[in-house]
Amino acid sequence: MTYDSDIRDMSSGHAGPHTDRSDDRMSNDARFKLDGDGAREVLSALRRGWIVIVATAVVVGALALGYSLAQTPKYQATAVLYVTSGTDDNTQSAYQGALASQQRVTSYAKLVDSDSVVQQAIQAQGIGLSLEQAKAALSSSSSADTVLLSISAIDSDRTVAENLANSAARAMTSYVARLETPSGGGQPLAKLTLVSPARTGASPVTPKTTRNVALGVIVGIVLGVLFVLARARFSNRVRDENDIVKVTETPVLGAIPNDDLLKRRGLIDFSKGGTPAAESFRKLRTNLTFASVDHPPRVLLVTSPIAVEGKTTTSMNLAASLVESGKRVVLVDADLRRPQVNKRSGLIGEAGLTNYLRGDGELADLVQPSKVDNLWILASGPQPPNPAELLGTQKAAAALRELAAGFEYVIIDTPPVLPVTDAVVLSQWSDGVLLVARSGSTRLNDLGAALEQLAASTAPVVGFVITDAPAAKARYGYYGAAQAPRSGLFGRQREQRVIEEVLEPTPSGTP
């Protein structure tokens, strides 16, 4: 392997031009000021949490059904009485009698559960209920502007309900007759007439299973919606681009969808057409060229706040996407603590960056070609006892300058920012930093802490990449980028193409 013959003379100390970040940085208070949820955010949260809402509605509805089935069915019987007052000798008397009857109905309704009426009702019919039980089972009602009085009884036994309602109606009839009889004797001034004996219906009045289940489902939906909105409002994790926009002005350059190829450590074959993940990396590549038009970053450091957020996958596929656009790219595995690039590319990991840093070889002999044309890889090399010190030396700066002279892009995969200082130390020799966050995993406070640590470097954070982002269905369907997987015979999905021989699967999560 040889570099291009015209290696440019670079100034010492930095791999390329830098941009001033003073205008791009926000105060800590402004960075973490969360605005109220707008209508779009509310709808987005509800879409993400629809499973929780449905599950809550089903659970509460099932609880309401179980409660209803556990209740003892009760039946209701209602007797209707007609109130008559005065005589019908003339029109005036009839009218006054009707008014008197309406006025009496309200008073009579309050007498139904009196001790005298209830005691007479249970004794006359021989109902096996105590006075308190009978009073609790009886109820009365009257309709406005009518002379009708309804007496109802509820019991788990149909016969008891009917007998108690009819017996109470008869007891009220005799009781009112005694009350309305003048003290000097004569005809009662008002009387009750039973017009509709009590009969129980075919169905129990309690429990109201259908109503209870419906109310349970409605309550479950409300609780689910409140839970989803509260979780979205007070969540401390990155979900989508809107969350990062809230905490910093640095743009989100790419959102990589949750793709099966990436889960299997697949390096996307960009020459085989478009998949959702491929289109996302192409969009990242395009946005990267516009991140700094005057001084586009050519030596780009890729890192993340903590481990298992997709930085290595992003580094490898970003490099491959740049190669697709006709660029010569070198991928440097600067994660000297837990190197992954060499393991996942099948290259020799014992010959690489640390060999050069301790003077055991030249870069021209250590950079290895990958299975992708124009994509070269500088492995990590033997694991040193002092990674941060090695990456902060002028020898590391010289290595990046030499690589930048021989390649159009240098992509550097580094350790996470928060556990160790390697990425911050190495970033001083780069043109810019690409910070990777995983949707649903990365915490906003970790993201903020990583930004604060990277603020000490002279290289700007040019943008963010969100991995495992929810894929928008058919977003690029017109061009075939996000179409649903095709099914073959017997419903088996066809596999997307991937360069299988370039990578070897690993059992743990994406670093």
Side-chain angles (χ1 to χ4, degrees):
M1 176 262 174
T2 60
Y3 293 112
D4 292 342
S5 58
D6 53 341
I7 297 180
R8 294 174 294 168
D9 186 17
M10 307 290 291
S11 59
S12 63
H14 298 285
H18 302 289
T19 57
D20 184 11
R21 288 179 297 165
S22 59
D23 294 337
D24 293 333
R25 300 202 177 279
M26 303 173 63
S27 67
N28 188 58
D29 292 340
R31 180 176 295 143
F32 291 100
K33 181 180 180 181
L34 299 180
D35 298 330
D37 288 338
R40 183 177 300 177
E41 293 181 2
V42 170
L43 293 176
S44 177
L46 294 178
R47 283 195 299 269
R48 290 193 303 268
W50 70 269
I51 294 181
V52 175
I53 297 173
V54 172
T56 305
V58 171
V59 169
V60 179
L63 291 175
L65 176 61
Y67 172 80
S68 299
L69 295 178
Q71 301 300 306
T72 301
K74 292 187 177 182
Y75 299 86
Q76 178 175 324
T78 301
V80 180
L81 299 96
Y82 186 87
V83 181
T84 305
S85 298
T87 62
D88 295 335
D89 294 341
N90 53 58
T91 303
Q92 182 67 22
S93 299
Y95 175 72
Q96 293 176 349
L99 291 179
S101 298
Q102 293 177 9
Q103 295 171 355
R104 282 181 165 88
V105 167
T106 304
S107 300
Y108 293 163
K110 297 180 179 180
L111 294 175
V112 171
D113 60 350
S114 64
D115 291 351
S116 300
V117 174
V118 175
Q119 189 67 40
Q120 181 180 347
I122 59 179
Q123 289 178 352
Q125 196 68 27
I127 299 173
L129 296 176
S130 66
L131 179 63
E132 295 301 325
Q133 290 175 333
K135 291 176 67 174
L138 285 170
S139 62
S140 61
S141 62
S142 60
S143 302
D145 300 328
T146 69
V147 293
L148 298 178
L149 174 66
S150 299
I151 299 177
S152 301
I154 296 179
D155 195 83
S156 57
D157 190 316
R158 296 171 184 243
T159 303
V160 172
E162 287 184 4
N163 291 340
L164 180 59
N166 287 324
S167 182
R170 289 190 292 269
M172 274 295 297
T173 301
S174 63
Y175 189 67
V176 167
R178 291 198 305 271
L179 287 177
E180 297 293 350
T181 300
S183 58
Q187 295 295 323
L189 301 178
K191 65 177 181 177
L192 292 176
T193 304
L194 181 63
V195 296
S196 179
R199 294 288 186 272
T200 55
S203 301
V205 294
T206 60
K208 299 182 182 297
T209 304
T210 302
R211 184 198 64 180
N212 293 345
V213 172
L215 289 176
V217 170
I218 293 173
V219 170
I221 292 175
V222 172
L223 292 176
V225 168
L226 293 177
F227 174 78
V228 168
L229 293 181
R231 183 181 63 178
R233 178 64 182 85
F234 299 104
S235 174
N236 193 31
R237 298 181 186 275
V238 173
R239 298 163 300 179
D240 51 33
E241 301 179 22
N242 294 329
D243 293 314
I244 293 182
V245 169
K246 292 175 183 177
V247 301
T248 178
E249 292 179 348
T250 305
V252 177
L253 301 182
I256 312 303
N258 191 344
D259 194 294
D260 289 339
L261 296 181
L262 302 181
K263 285 184 176 181
R264 299 199 308 268
R265 303 298 192 275
L267 179 63
I268 299 172
D269 187 352
F270 288 92
S271 65
K272 301 300 182 180
T275 64
E279 289 301 320
S280 297
F281 279 108
R282 290 187 179 110
K283 181 179 179 181
L284 170 61
R285 176 189 67 197
T286 302
N287 290 340
L288 189 61
T289 61
F290 290 101
S292 179
V293 178
D294 295 331
H295 303 288
R298 295 180 51 248
V299 180
L300 189 64
L301 184 144
V302 181
T303 186
S304 60
I306 59 176
V308 197
E309 293 184 326
K311 64 178 184 60
T312 302
T313 299
T314 300
S315 301
M316 298 181 70
N317 285 284
L318 173 59
S321 69
L322 290 169
V323 169
E324 182 197 27
S325 65
K327 308 296 183 182
R328 295 184 72 246
V329 183
V330 60
L331 174 62
V332 180
D333 189 354
D335 190 344
L336 306 183
R337 301 173 188 269
R338 295 182 58 188
Q340 293 292 318
V341 174
N342 59 294
K343 294 180 180 180
R344 295 167 55 183
S345 61
L347 301 181
I348 300 174
E350 294 302 318
L353 179 60
T354 54
N355 296 99
Y356 174 79
L357 295 179
R358 66 187 184 185
D360 292 343
E362 298 296 327
L363 288 179
D365 301 324
L366 297 173
V367 175
Q368 306 174 56
S370 72
K371 298 294 183 179
V372 181
D373 293 337
N374 288 326
L375 175 59
W376 300 75
I377 295 178
L378 176 61
S380 60
Q383 186 172 355
N386 55 343
E389 288 75 7
L390 280 178
L391 296 175
T393 61
Q394 290 295 324
K395 189 79 171 178
L400 295 182
R401 287 198 302 270
E402 183 176 344
L403 291 174
F407 294 90
E408 294 173 89
Y409 280 96
V410 180
I411 307 299
I412 312 169
D413 181 38
T414 64
V417 175
L418 298 184
V420 292
T421 61
D422 300 19
V424 177
V425 170
L426 189 61
S427 65
Q428 63 182 316
W429 315 125
S430 68
D431 295 337
V433 177
L434 197 62
L435 197 55
V436 179
R438 184 181 292 277
S439 176
S441 176
T442 304
R443 298 181 182 274
L444 290 174
N445 54 353
D446 289 340
L447 194 65
L451 286 172
E452 289 296 328
Q453 291 196 26
L454 290 170
S457 171
T458 55
V461 177
V462 297
F464 293 89
V465 176
I466 301 177
T467 59
D468 270 358
K473 295 183 179 179
R475 169 176 276 182
Y476 307 105
Y478 183 82
Y479 298 97
Q483 296 175 355
R486 296 181 180 179
S487 298
L489 292 176
F490 308 107
R492 184 176 181 180
Q493 292 185 348
R494 299 179 183 177
E495 297 286 343
Q496 297 174 339
R497 297 184 66 87
V498 60
I499 307 177
E500 296 289 354
E501 67 275 12
V502 176
L503 308 174
E504 65 178 28
T506 58
S508 60
T510 305

